Amino acid sequence: MDGPGVRRVVAGVSGSLGSLTALHRAAAEARLHGGELRAVLAWEPPGGDIVHRGGPCPAPLAAWRRMACTRLLTALEDAFGDAGPGVPLECLVVLGKPGAVLVEAADRSDDLLVVGAGARGRLRRAVWPSVARHCLARARCPVLAVPPSALHDSFEAAHRRNIWNLPLDTRELTE
């Protein structure tokens, strides 16, 4: 299916709400242009790459890869259910930093790379680098940074209330 006439829409998937929103948008773009969807999940070992540099230990790496594959399948199930995206789908699970992996996966000039823009504050930008910014700066193809869903703020507020054991007024969610 990967011919010169078929446009690939590459979507970065992490399982977060923002990535699921981006995955939906990527599937819509693939349907619109008669292309195929390439869902890409990048993963790194816990503790980073340095943990297994001293010597290859295939058992933990294989287990972590299986966990990444499960996370991708769960994200696809959460996004599309049993019906699927409605376009040809290719799934990739790649060891590496998310930004670099996505830029490499969308290596043709006619690809479209779709990533979640995410809600980011100053602290998050300082601690976690933005995958969307990395892709926008380095991709060789058009990049679509999808903003979070309108419900994302409501879910985040409910999540914060749960963490701090604050009472939740459900009327706030309907406003």
Side-chain angles (χ1 to χ4, degrees):
M1 296 199 184
D2 200 29
V6 177
R7 181 169 194 190
R8 293 185 310 186
V9 179
V10 180
V13 180
S14 67
S16 68
L17 287 176
S19 78
L20 295 179
T21 302
L23 189 56
H24 272 278
R25 181 61 187 267
E29 290 291 326
R31 278 191 296 277
L32 182 66
H33 298 291
E36 69 177 25
L37 177 61
R38 178 182 266 195
V40 180
L41 185 136
W43 67 278
E44 293 181 287
D49 194 30
I50 197 143
V51 171
H52 70 279
R53 278 191 190 164
C57 189
L61 284 177
W64 294 326
R65 178 170 172 70
R66 280 193 303 276
M67 289 169 49
C69 290
T70 301
R71 188 166 23 133
L72 177 60
L73 292 176
T74 301
L76 291 169
E77 176 72 23
D78 289 347
F80 304 118
D82 293 333
V87 294
L89 174 65
E90 177 185 5
C91 296
L92 295 172
V93 176
V94 182
L95 173 64
K97 298 216 177 282
V101 166
L102 291 172
V103 167
E104 186 64 31
D107 59 352
R108 299 189 323 202
S109 62
D110 63 336
D111 287 344
L112 174 64
L113 178 55
V114 182
V115 293
R120 303 193 48 94
R122 288 182 185 180
L123 178 63
R124 284 191 180 184
R125 275 196 305 269
V127 176
W128 294 288
S130 170
V131 173
R133 285 180 186 234
H134 179 93
C135 294
L136 285 165
R138 292 171 178 84
R140 295 177 288 253
C141 65
V143 178
L144 176 59
V146 179
S149 165
L151 292 175
H152 190 264
D153 289 337
S154 297
F155 287 133
E156 286 292 321
H159 182 68
R160 279 191 303 276
R161 287 175 185 263
N162 286 340
I163 288 174
W164 294 102
N165 292 325
L166 298 173
L168 175 63
D169 183 3
T170 56
R171 290 175 294 187
E172 293 177 8
L173 296 176
T174 59
E175 294 176 357

